[in-house]
């Protein structure tokens, strides 16, 4: 209980309707809005109270309306003068106590007078003449905790993210249940503070017995260090974290759909031949006695031995299993072996395969060339290259069993050719989902943080004939929660994340969004935000964020604390390197 219970007691002692913060009375009431006559709107500046500044009628301020049963919580979204009074403001205006200003208040929620519990929605509408007060910063900072009933306050785990106002005592802390329980997304345009917020959340989590797996797309989180942090990297990053473990991704981690995305067969011949080759190599792995140097040779060979093995339930099922291992280095050669006529003697002998089919071989040449190009490219060196690096799957397993709180997987060393970074990240995500389905996170919940998520979600790779969806993280968003695996997406392009995925995010931490399409996507995906609320998003300052979600009665705007381990996202220093001697 501790701190939150004490804060409730202090609020009860002081009260939340402070005479010093009174701003006016209600003069108009509608189903979703109320108007107030502002008595201090003509003063040239705000006032300071208990260490914080209050505008007493400024746009964006949270206010309290003294109701009949409960206290109503609202936010000023507009301040104006009646049309007839507009001319009283001119270039010589220096302030006036007699200004007849009207404030428009968006009604957000209700606060209990007994225990200050906050609920969304309006319990009882205000009446004309009800007094209106600016909400104290201490109250706004406690809103995440005041959404919880006092009998539920038995957890000490709190993540201190930031503060409300300028006073140091107005700290905002959120439980990981509310932040990650229904998944989380951190959104914001470049320069809005998205990376700092991600870093702040992570360093607050690792103060506890957390399990955070961070997919670092750019390497900017290499600054994290300490006994609770574990770093590893795939490929060859330009900048590596200290004591970072070089890792590989075994080809056995790939499924058939991954190879379809990887090699992108085209037309009506390449796709079926690729699948046949994969099935043949699985059979060669399971029944080495049928193989010749690891290959299933078919040209003018009898079918009986192979068909007999495939008819066995145990073998046939494994050959069709997309997770069954096979030697991918022989894939191109096996495709050549598949390019034969289905029956020997020009179709007169169905018990044997026929001669080489030159037409099919010609159709498959571009696929064979692509397979060799992909497997020899530097982008997939951590997959198909000859390496002694530890498998990333092994590193993840060690992390989950050990005492570390953060595993940072750096993907910046993987090139973008052949969609390598997206496919490899998707494979890691699917591996985590498979662990979740096995129950590995049921007693030890984990959060996978995906930086630059717009690169990895909603992607579809392939041709019109055969394509593959990179949907591992979308599946985590849809079903991971019930297995104890949550996802936290960080992106500067919400419009590139499908609405179906964003709608699964129970909590949004939204920084400045200047793009109209981005704001529209957020509005449609989140039922707790409307157009009047989203209109504040373009004006958020760097480091300032609005927390929106099903566990919050209204978007809570806070200043995010600076992280201790600051992301290294600076670009080239032109002043230093271009300056003439």
């Amino acid at each position: 209980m501790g701190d939150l219970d004490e804060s409730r007691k202090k609020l009860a002692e002081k009260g939340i309707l402070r005479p010093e913060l009174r701003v006016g009375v209600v003069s108009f009431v509608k189903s979703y809005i109320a108007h107030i006559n502002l008595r201090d709107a003509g003063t040239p500046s705000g006032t300071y109270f208990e260490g914080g500044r209050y505008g007493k009628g400024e746009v964006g301020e949270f206010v309290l309306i003294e109701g009949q049963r409960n206290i109503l919580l609202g936010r000023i979204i507009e301040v104006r003068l009646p049309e007839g009074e507009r001319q009283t403001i001119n270039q010589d205006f220096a302030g006036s106590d007699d200004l007849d200003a009207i404030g428009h208040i968006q009604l957000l929620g209700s606060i209990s007078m007994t225990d200050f519990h906050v609920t969304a929605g309006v319990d009882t509408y205000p009446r004309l003449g009800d007094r209106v007060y600016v909400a104290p910063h201490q109250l706004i900072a406690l809103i995440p905790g005041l959404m919880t009933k006092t009998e539920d306050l038995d957890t000490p785990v709190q993540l201190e993210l930031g503060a409300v106002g300028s006073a140091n005592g107005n700290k905002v802390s959120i439980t990981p249940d509310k932040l990650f329980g229904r998944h989380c997304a951190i959104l914001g345009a470049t320069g809005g503070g998205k990376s700092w917020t991600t870093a702040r959340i992570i360093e607050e989590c690792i103060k506890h017995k957390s399990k955070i797996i961070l997919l670092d797309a750019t390497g900017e989180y290499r600054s994290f260090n300490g006994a609770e942090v574990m770093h590893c990297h795939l490929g060859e990053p330009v900048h590596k974290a200290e004591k970072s473990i070089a890792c590989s991704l075994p080809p056995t981690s790939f499924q058939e759909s991954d190879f379809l995305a990887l090699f992108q067969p085209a037309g009506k011949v390449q796709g079926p031949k690729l699948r046949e080759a994969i099935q043949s190599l699985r059979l060669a792995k399971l029944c080495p006695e049928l193989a010749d140097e690891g290959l299933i040779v078919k040209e003018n060979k009898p079918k009986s031995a192979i068909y007999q093995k495939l008819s066995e339930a145990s073998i046939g099922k494994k050959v069709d299993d997309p997770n069954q291992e096979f030697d991918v280095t022989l894939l191109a050669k096996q495709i050549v072996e598949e390019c034969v006529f289905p029956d020997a003697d020009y179709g007169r002998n169905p018990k044997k395969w026929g001669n080489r089919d030159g037409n099919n071989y010609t159709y498959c040449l571009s696929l064979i060339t692509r397979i060799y190009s992909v497997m020899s490219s530097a982008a997939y060196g951590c997959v198909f290259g000859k390496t002694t690096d530890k498998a990333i799957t092994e590193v993840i397993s060690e992390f989950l069993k050990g005492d570390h709180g953060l595993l940072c997987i750096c993907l910046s060393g993987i090139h973008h050719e052949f969609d390598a970074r997206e496919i490899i990240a998707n494979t890691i995500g699917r591996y985590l989902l498979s662990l979740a389905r096995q129950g590995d996170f049921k007693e030890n919940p984990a959060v996978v943080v995906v930086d630059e998520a717009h690169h990895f979600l909603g992607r579809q790779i392939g041709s019109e004939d055969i394509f593959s969806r990179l949907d591992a993280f979308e599946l985590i968003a849809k079903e991971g929660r019930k297995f104890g695996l949550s996802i936290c997406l960080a992106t500067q392009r919400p419009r590139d994340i499908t609405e179906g995925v964003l709608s699964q995010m129970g909590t949004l931490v939204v920084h400045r969004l200047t793009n109209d399409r981005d704001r529209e996507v957020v509005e449609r995906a989140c039922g707790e935000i409307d157009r009047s609320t989203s209109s504040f998003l373009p004006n958020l300052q760097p480091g300032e964020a609005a927390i929106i979600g099903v566990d919050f009665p209204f978007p809570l705007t806070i200043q995010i604390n600076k992280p201790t381990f600051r992301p290294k996202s600076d670009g080239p220093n032109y002043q230093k390197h271009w300056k003439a001697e």
Side-chain angles (χ1 to χ4, degrees), residues 348-396:
R348 293 189 293 270
N349 185 1
K351 295 183 179 181
K352 295 174 60 178
W353 281 286
N355 296 323
R356 182 85 64 209
D357 185 343
N359 288 334
N360 280 351
Y361 176 71
T362 302
Y363 291 144
C364 290
L365 272 177
S366 61
L367 173 62
I368 293 170
T369 302
R370 182 174 177 82
I371 291 174
Y372 280 123
S373 299
V374 169
M375 295 182 63
S376 61
S377 69
Y380 285 99
C382 61
V383 180
F384 303 114
K386 295 180 180 180
T387 177
T388 58
D389 295 340
K390 183 179 288 189
I392 186 66
T393 51
E394 184 180 344
V395 172
I396 291 174

Short mmCIF file of all heavy atoms in Angstrom, two decimals, residues 348-396:
data_model
loop_
_atom_site.label_atom_id
_atom_site.label_comp_id
_atom_site.label_asym_id
_atom_site.label_seq_id
_atom_site.Cartn_x
_atom_site.Cartn_y
_atom_site.Cartn_z
N ARG A 348 4.44 -43.32 -69.79
CA ARG A 348 3.90 -44.68 -69.86
C ARG A 348 4.28 -45.53 -68.65
O ARG A 348 3.76 -46.62 -68.46
CB ARG A 348 4.37 -45.37 -71.14
CG ARG A 348 3.79 -44.75 -72.41
CD ARG A 348 4.12 -45.61 -73.62
NE ARG A 348 5.56 -45.61 -73.91
CZ ARG A 348 6.15 -44.75 -74.71
NH1 ARG A 348 5.42 -43.79 -75.30
NH2 ARG A 348 7.44 -44.80 -74.94
N ASN A 349 5.20 -45.03 -67.82
CA ASN A 349 5.64 -45.81 -66.65
C ASN A 349 5.51 -44.96 -65.39
O ASN A 349 6.43 -44.23 -65.03
CB ASN A 349 7.09 -46.27 -66.85
CG ASN A 349 7.55 -47.18 -65.72
OD1 ASN A 349 6.79 -47.50 -64.80
ND2 ASN A 349 8.81 -47.62 -65.79
N PRO A 350 4.36 -45.06 -64.70
CA PRO A 350 4.16 -44.22 -63.50
C PRO A 350 4.93 -44.68 -62.26
O PRO A 350 4.90 -44.00 -61.24
CB PRO A 350 2.64 -44.34 -63.28
CG PRO A 350 2.28 -45.67 -63.84
CD PRO A 350 3.19 -45.88 -65.01
N LYS A 351 5.63 -45.80 -62.35
CA LYS A 351 6.37 -46.30 -61.18
C LYS A 351 7.74 -45.66 -61.05
O LYS A 351 8.42 -45.85 -60.06
CB LYS A 351 6.53 -47.82 -61.27
CG LYS A 351 5.21 -48.58 -61.19
CD LYS A 351 5.45 -50.08 -61.22
CE LYS A 351 4.12 -50.83 -61.10
NZ LYS A 351 4.32 -52.31 -61.10
N LYS A 352 8.14 -44.90 -62.04
CA LYS A 352 9.43 -44.22 -62.02
C LYS A 352 9.25 -42.76 -62.45
O LYS A 352 8.33 -42.44 -63.19
CB LYS A 352 10.43 -44.91 -62.97
CG LYS A 352 10.79 -46.32 -62.58
CD LYS A 352 11.64 -46.96 -63.65
CE LYS A 352 12.95 -46.21 -63.90
NZ LYS A 352 13.80 -46.88 -64.91
N TRP A 353 10.16 -41.91 -61.95
CA TRP A 353 10.20 -40.54 -62.47
C TRP A 353 10.88 -40.55 -63.83
O TRP A 353 11.68 -41.46 -64.14
CB TRP A 353 10.95 -39.62 -61.52
CG TRP A 353 10.13 -39.18 -60.34
CD1 TRP A 353 9.14 -38.28 -60.33
CD2 TRP A 353 10.25 -39.67 -58.99
NE1 TRP A 353 8.61 -38.14 -59.07
CE2 TRP A 353 9.28 -38.99 -58.22
CE3 TRP A 353 11.08 -40.61 -58.36
CZ2 TRP A 353 9.11 -39.20 -56.86
CZ3 TRP A 353 10.92 -40.83 -57.00
CH2 TRP A 353 9.94 -40.14 -56.27
N GLY A 354 10.61 -39.52 -64.62
CA GLY A 354 11.16 -39.48 -65.97
C GLY A 354 12.47 -38.73 -66.05
O GLY A 354 13.19 -38.52 -65.05
N ASN A 355 12.81 -38.31 -67.27
CA ASN A 355 14.05 -37.57 -67.53
C ASN A 355 13.95 -36.13 -67.03
O ASN A 355 12.91 -35.68 -66.57
CB ASN A 355 14.34 -37.57 -69.04
CG ASN A 355 14.60 -38.98 -69.55
OD1 ASN A 355 15.21 -39.80 -68.87
ND2 ASN A 355 14.12 -39.25 -70.77
N ARG A 356 15.07 -35.44 -67.13
CA ARG A 356 15.10 -34.04 -66.76
C ARG A 356 14.13 -33.24 -67.63
O ARG A 356 14.11 -33.39 -68.85
CB ARG A 356 16.52 -33.48 -66.92
CG ARG A 356 16.68 -32.03 -66.52
CD ARG A 356 16.94 -31.87 -65.04
NE ARG A 356 18.20 -32.49 -64.65
CZ ARG A 356 18.44 -32.99 -63.46
NH1 ARG A 356 17.49 -32.98 -62.54
NH2 ARG A 356 19.61 -33.52 -63.16
N ASP A 357 13.32 -32.36 -66.94
CA ASP A 357 12.37 -31.50 -67.64
C ASP A 357 13.05 -30.14 -67.88
O ASP A 357 13.18 -29.32 -66.95
CB ASP A 357 11.10 -31.33 -66.80
CG ASP A 357 10.02 -30.55 -67.52
OD1 ASP A 357 10.32 -29.88 -68.51
OD2 ASP A 357 8.85 -30.61 -67.07
N GLY A 358 13.50 -29.93 -69.10
CA GLY A 358 14.26 -28.72 -69.42
C GLY A 358 13.46 -27.45 -69.23
O GLY A 358 14.01 -26.42 -68.80
N ASN A 359 12.18 -27.49 -69.53
CA ASN A 359 11.36 -26.28 -69.39
C ASN A 359 11.24 -25.86 -67.92
O ASN A 359 11.42 -24.68 -67.59
CB ASN A 359 9.96 -26.52 -69.97
CG ASN A 359 9.97 -26.59 -71.48
OD1 ASN A 359 10.86 -26.01 -72.12
ND2 ASN A 359 9.02 -27.31 -72.05
N ASN A 360 10.92 -26.81 -67.05
CA ASN A 360 10.81 -26.48 -65.62
C ASN A 360 12.15 -26.01 -65.06
O ASN A 360 12.20 -25.10 -64.22
CB ASN A 360 10.33 -27.70 -64.83
CG ASN A 360 8.82 -27.89 -64.94
OD1 ASN A 360 8.12 -27.03 -65.46
ND2 ASN A 360 8.33 -29.03 -64.47
N TYR A 361 13.23 -26.65 -65.51
CA TYR A 361 14.55 -26.22 -65.05
C TYR A 361 14.82 -24.78 -65.45
O TYR A 361 15.34 -23.98 -64.67
CB TYR A 361 15.62 -27.15 -65.62
CG TYR A 361 17.03 -26.73 -65.27
CD1 TYR A 361 17.53 -26.85 -63.98
CD2 TYR A 361 17.86 -26.19 -66.26
CE1 TYR A 361 18.82 -26.45 -63.67
CE2 TYR A 361 19.15 -25.78 -65.96
CZ TYR A 361 19.62 -25.92 -64.67
OH TYR A 361 20.90 -25.51 -64.36
N THR A 362 14.43 -24.43 -66.68
CA THR A 362 14.62 -23.05 -67.14
C THR A 362 13.79 -22.08 -66.31
O THR A 362 14.27 -21.00 -65.94
CB THR A 362 14.24 -22.94 -68.63
OG1 THR A 362 15.03 -23.84 -69.39
CG2 THR A 362 14.46 -21.51 -69.12
N TYR A 363 12.53 -22.47 -66.02
CA TYR A 363 11.66 -21.62 -65.21
C TYR A 363 12.24 -21.41 -63.80
O TYR A 363 12.03 -20.35 -63.19
CB TYR A 363 10.27 -22.23 -65.08
CG TYR A 363 9.48 -22.25 -66.36
CD1 TYR A 363 8.63 -23.32 -66.65
CD2 TYR A 363 9.57 -21.22 -67.29
CE1 TYR A 363 7.90 -23.35 -67.84
CE2 TYR A 363 8.85 -21.24 -68.47
CZ TYR A 363 8.02 -22.31 -68.73
OH TYR A 363 7.30 -22.34 -69.90
N CYS A 364 12.97 -22.39 -63.30
CA CYS A 364 13.47 -22.33 -61.91
C CYS A 364 14.86 -21.72 -61.80
O CYS A 364 15.37 -21.55 -60.68
CB CYS A 364 13.49 -23.73 -61.29
SG CYS A 364 11.84 -24.41 -60.96
N LEU A 365 15.48 -21.40 -62.93
CA LEU A 365 16.85 -20.87 -62.87
C LEU A 365 16.94 -19.58 -62.05
O LEU A 365 17.89 -19.40 -61.27
CB LEU A 365 17.38 -20.63 -64.29
CG LEU A 365 18.06 -21.83 -64.97
CD1 LEU A 365 18.47 -21.47 -66.40
CD2 LEU A 365 19.29 -22.28 -64.17
N SER A 366 16.00 -18.68 -62.25
CA SER A 366 16.04 -17.42 -61.49
C SER A 366 15.89 -17.68 -59.99
O SER A 366 16.51 -17.00 -59.16
CB SER A 366 14.95 -16.47 -61.99
OG SER A 366 13.66 -17.03 -61.80
N LEU A 367 15.06 -18.67 -59.60
CA LEU A 367 14.91 -19.01 -58.19
C LEU A 367 16.20 -19.60 -57.64
O LEU A 367 16.64 -19.24 -56.54
CB LEU A 367 13.76 -20.01 -58.02
CG LEU A 367 13.58 -20.61 -56.62
CD1 LEU A 367 13.27 -19.53 -55.60
CD2 LEU A 367 12.48 -21.67 -56.63
N ILE A 368 16.84 -20.48 -58.42
CA ILE A 368 18.10 -21.08 -57.98
C ILE A 368 19.16 -20.01 -57.80
O ILE A 368 19.92 -20.00 -56.81
CB ILE A 368 18.55 -22.15 -59.00
CG1 ILE A 368 17.57 -23.33 -58.99
CG2 ILE A 368 19.96 -22.63 -58.68
CD1 ILE A 368 17.79 -24.32 -60.12
N THR A 369 19.20 -19.07 -58.74
CA THR A 369 20.18 -17.97 -58.63
C THR A 369 19.91 -17.13 -57.39
O THR A 369 20.85 -16.74 -56.68
CB THR A 369 20.09 -17.08 -59.89
OG1 THR A 369 20.35 -17.88 -61.05
CG2 THR A 369 21.11 -15.95 -59.82
N ARG A 370 18.65 -16.87 -57.13
CA ARG A 370 18.31 -16.07 -55.95
C ARG A 370 18.69 -16.80 -54.67
O ARG A 370 19.18 -16.18 -53.72
CB ARG A 370 16.82 -15.74 -55.94
CG ARG A 370 16.39 -14.86 -54.77
CD ARG A 370 14.94 -14.42 -54.87
NE ARG A 370 14.56 -13.65 -53.70
CZ ARG A 370 14.80 -12.36 -53.53
NH1 ARG A 370 15.44 -11.68 -54.47
NH2 ARG A 370 14.41 -11.72 -52.44
N ILE A 371 18.47 -18.09 -54.61
CA ILE A 371 18.83 -18.86 -53.41
C ILE A 371 20.33 -18.75 -53.14
O ILE A 371 20.76 -18.49 -52.01
CB ILE A 371 18.41 -20.33 -53.57
CG1 ILE A 371 16.88 -20.44 -53.54
CG2 ILE A 371 19.02 -21.20 -52.48
CD1 ILE A 371 16.36 -21.83 -53.84
N TYR A 372 21.14 -18.91 -54.19
CA TYR A 372 22.60 -18.79 -54.01
C TYR A 372 22.97 -17.37 -53.59
O TYR A 372 23.85 -17.16 -52.75
CB TYR A 372 23.32 -19.17 -55.31
CG TYR A 372 23.45 -20.66 -55.53
CD1 TYR A 372 22.95 -21.26 -56.68
CD2 TYR A 372 24.09 -21.47 -54.58
CE1 TYR A 372 23.07 -22.63 -56.88
CE2 TYR A 372 24.22 -22.83 -54.78
CZ TYR A 372 23.70 -23.42 -55.92
OH TYR A 372 23.82 -24.77 -56.12
N SER A 373 22.28 -16.37 -54.17
CA SER A 373 22.60 -14.97 -53.84
C SER A 373 22.26 -14.67 -52.38
O SER A 373 23.05 -14.03 -51.67
CB SER A 373 21.83 -14.02 -54.76
OG SER A 373 22.19 -14.22 -56.10
N VAL A 374 21.08 -15.12 -51.94
CA VAL A 374 20.67 -14.86 -50.56
C VAL A 374 21.60 -15.55 -49.58
O VAL A 374 22.06 -14.95 -48.60
CB VAL A 374 19.22 -15.32 -50.35
CG1 VAL A 374 18.86 -15.30 -48.87
CG2 VAL A 374 18.25 -14.42 -51.11
N MET A 375 21.91 -16.81 -49.83
CA MET A 375 22.69 -17.58 -48.86
C MET A 375 24.14 -17.15 -48.81
O MET A 375 24.82 -17.39 -47.81
CB MET A 375 22.58 -19.07 -49.19
CG MET A 375 21.18 -19.62 -49.03
SD MET A 375 21.03 -21.38 -49.34
CE MET A 375 22.07 -22.04 -48.04
N SER A 376 24.62 -16.48 -49.85
CA SER A 376 26.01 -16.00 -49.84
C SER A 376 26.11 -14.52 -49.49
O SER A 376 27.22 -13.98 -49.41
CB SER A 376 26.64 -16.24 -51.21
OG SER A 376 25.94 -15.54 -52.22
N SER A 377 24.97 -13.84 -49.28
CA SER A 377 25.00 -12.40 -49.00
C SER A 377 25.45 -12.13 -47.57
O SER A 377 25.25 -12.94 -46.66
CB SER A 377 23.62 -11.79 -49.23
OG SER A 377 22.71 -12.25 -48.24
N ALA A 378 26.05 -10.95 -47.38
CA ALA A 378 26.50 -10.56 -46.04
C ALA A 378 25.32 -10.35 -45.10
O ALA A 378 25.44 -10.52 -43.89
CB ALA A 378 27.33 -9.27 -46.13
N ALA A 379 24.15 -9.98 -45.67
CA ALA A 379 22.98 -9.73 -44.83
C ALA A 379 22.57 -10.97 -44.05
O ALA A 379 22.07 -10.87 -42.92
CB ALA A 379 21.82 -9.25 -45.71
N TYR A 380 22.78 -12.14 -44.64
CA TYR A 380 22.40 -13.39 -43.98
C TYR A 380 23.62 -14.17 -43.50
O TYR A 380 23.55 -15.38 -43.32
CB TYR A 380 21.57 -14.26 -44.92
CG TYR A 380 20.16 -13.75 -45.08
CD1 TYR A 380 19.80 -12.99 -46.18
CD2 TYR A 380 19.18 -14.02 -44.13
CE1 TYR A 380 18.51 -12.50 -46.34
CE2 TYR A 380 17.89 -13.54 -44.27
CZ TYR A 380 17.56 -12.79 -45.38
OH TYR A 380 16.29 -12.32 -45.52
N GLY A 381 24.72 -13.45 -43.28
CA GLY A 381 25.91 -14.12 -42.77
C GLY A 381 25.70 -14.77 -41.42
O GLY A 381 26.29 -15.81 -41.10
N CYS A 382 24.83 -14.16 -40.59
CA CYS A 382 24.57 -14.71 -39.26
C CYS A 382 23.63 -15.92 -39.31
O CYS A 382 23.40 -16.57 -38.29
CB CYS A 382 23.98 -13.65 -38.33
SG CYS A 382 22.40 -12.98 -38.90
N VAL A 383 23.10 -16.22 -40.50
CA VAL A 383 22.19 -17.36 -40.66
C VAL A 383 22.87 -18.49 -41.42
O VAL A 383 22.93 -19.63 -40.94
CB VAL A 383 20.91 -16.94 -41.40
CG1 VAL A 383 19.96 -18.13 -41.56
CG2 VAL A 383 20.20 -15.81 -40.65
N PHE A 384 23.41 -18.19 -42.61
CA PHE A 384 23.95 -19.23 -43.47
C PHE A 384 25.48 -19.26 -43.50
O PHE A 384 26.06 -20.17 -44.09
CB PHE A 384 23.44 -19.04 -44.90
CG PHE A 384 21.93 -19.03 -45.00
CD1 PHE A 384 21.25 -17.88 -45.38
CD2 PHE A 384 21.19 -20.15 -44.69
CE1 PHE A 384 19.87 -17.86 -45.48
CE2 PHE A 384 19.81 -20.14 -44.77
CZ PHE A 384 19.15 -19.00 -45.16
N GLY A 385 26.11 -18.27 -42.89
CA GLY A 385 27.57 -18.24 -42.89
C GLY A 385 28.15 -19.28 -41.94
O GLY A 385 27.51 -19.74 -41.00
N LYS A 386 29.39 -19.64 -42.19
CA LYS A 386 30.07 -20.58 -41.31
C LYS A 386 30.56 -19.82 -40.08
O LYS A 386 31.48 -19.01 -40.15
CB LYS A 386 31.25 -21.22 -42.03
CG LYS A 386 30.83 -22.10 -43.21
CD LYS A 386 32.03 -22.73 -43.90
CE LYS A 386 31.57 -23.60 -45.07
NZ LYS A 386 32.72 -24.24 -45.78
N THR A 387 29.90 -20.05 -38.96
CA THR A 387 30.20 -19.28 -37.76
C THR A 387 30.13 -20.17 -36.53
O THR A 387 29.42 -21.18 -36.52
CB THR A 387 29.19 -18.12 -37.60
OG1 THR A 387 29.46 -17.43 -36.38
CG2 THR A 387 27.76 -18.63 -37.57
N THR A 388 30.89 -19.79 -35.54
CA THR A 388 30.86 -20.50 -34.25
C THR A 388 30.13 -19.69 -33.20
O THR A 388 30.17 -20.02 -32.01
CB THR A 388 32.29 -20.80 -33.77
OG1 THR A 388 33.02 -19.55 -33.65
CG2 THR A 388 33.01 -21.73 -34.73
N ASP A 389 29.44 -18.61 -33.63
CA ASP A 389 28.72 -17.76 -32.68
C ASP A 389 27.59 -18.55 -32.02
O ASP A 389 27.01 -19.46 -32.60
CB ASP A 389 28.14 -16.54 -33.40
CG ASP A 389 29.22 -15.62 -33.94
OD1 ASP A 389 30.36 -15.71 -33.46
OD2 ASP A 389 28.91 -14.83 -34.87
N LYS A 390 27.27 -18.14 -30.79
CA LYS A 390 26.21 -18.80 -30.04
C LYS A 390 24.86 -18.51 -30.69
O LYS A 390 24.59 -17.40 -31.15
CB LYS A 390 26.22 -18.31 -28.60
CG LYS A 390 25.19 -18.99 -27.70
CD LYS A 390 25.28 -18.47 -26.27
CE LYS A 390 26.52 -18.97 -25.57
NZ LYS A 390 26.50 -18.65 -24.12
N ALA A 391 24.00 -19.50 -30.72
CA ALA A 391 22.68 -19.35 -31.31
C ALA A 391 21.84 -18.38 -30.47
O ALA A 391 21.86 -18.44 -29.24
CB ALA A 391 21.98 -20.69 -31.42
N ILE A 392 21.11 -17.49 -31.14
CA ILE A 392 20.29 -16.52 -30.43
C ILE A 392 19.22 -17.21 -29.60
O ILE A 392 18.83 -16.74 -28.52
CB ILE A 392 19.66 -15.52 -31.44
CG1 ILE A 392 18.91 -14.39 -30.72
CG2 ILE A 392 18.73 -16.23 -32.39
CD1 ILE A 392 19.79 -13.49 -29.92
N THR A 393 18.73 -18.35 -30.08
CA THR A 393 17.73 -19.10 -29.32
C THR A 393 18.31 -19.58 -28.00
O THR A 393 17.63 -19.58 -26.97
CB THR A 393 17.23 -20.29 -30.15
OG1 THR A 393 18.37 -21.05 -30.63
CG2 THR A 393 16.42 -19.82 -31.34
N GLU A 394 19.58 -19.97 -28.02
CA GLU A 394 20.25 -20.41 -26.79
C GLU A 394 20.44 -19.24 -25.83
O GLU A 394 20.26 -19.38 -24.61
CB GLU A 394 21.59 -21.04 -27.14
CG GLU A 394 22.35 -21.62 -25.96
CD GLU A 394 23.68 -22.23 -26.36
OE1 GLU A 394 23.89 -22.46 -27.57
OE2 GLU A 394 24.52 -22.46 -25.46
N VAL A 395 20.80 -18.07 -26.38
CA VAL A 395 20.98 -16.87 -25.53
C VAL A 395 19.66 -16.49 -24.87
O VAL A 395 19.62 -16.15 -23.67
CB VAL A 395 21.53 -15.70 -26.38
CG1 VAL A 395 21.53 -14.41 -25.57
CG2 VAL A 395 22.93 -16.02 -26.87
N ILE A 396 18.56 -16.53 -25.62
CA ILE A 396 17.25 -16.19 -25.04
C ILE A 396 16.89 -17.16 -23.93
O ILE A 396 16.40 -16.75 -22.86
CB ILE A 396 16.17 -16.20 -26.16
CG1 ILE A 396 16.41 -15.03 -27.12
CG2 ILE A 396 14.78 -16.10 -25.55
CD1 ILE A 396 15.50 -15.03 -28.33
#
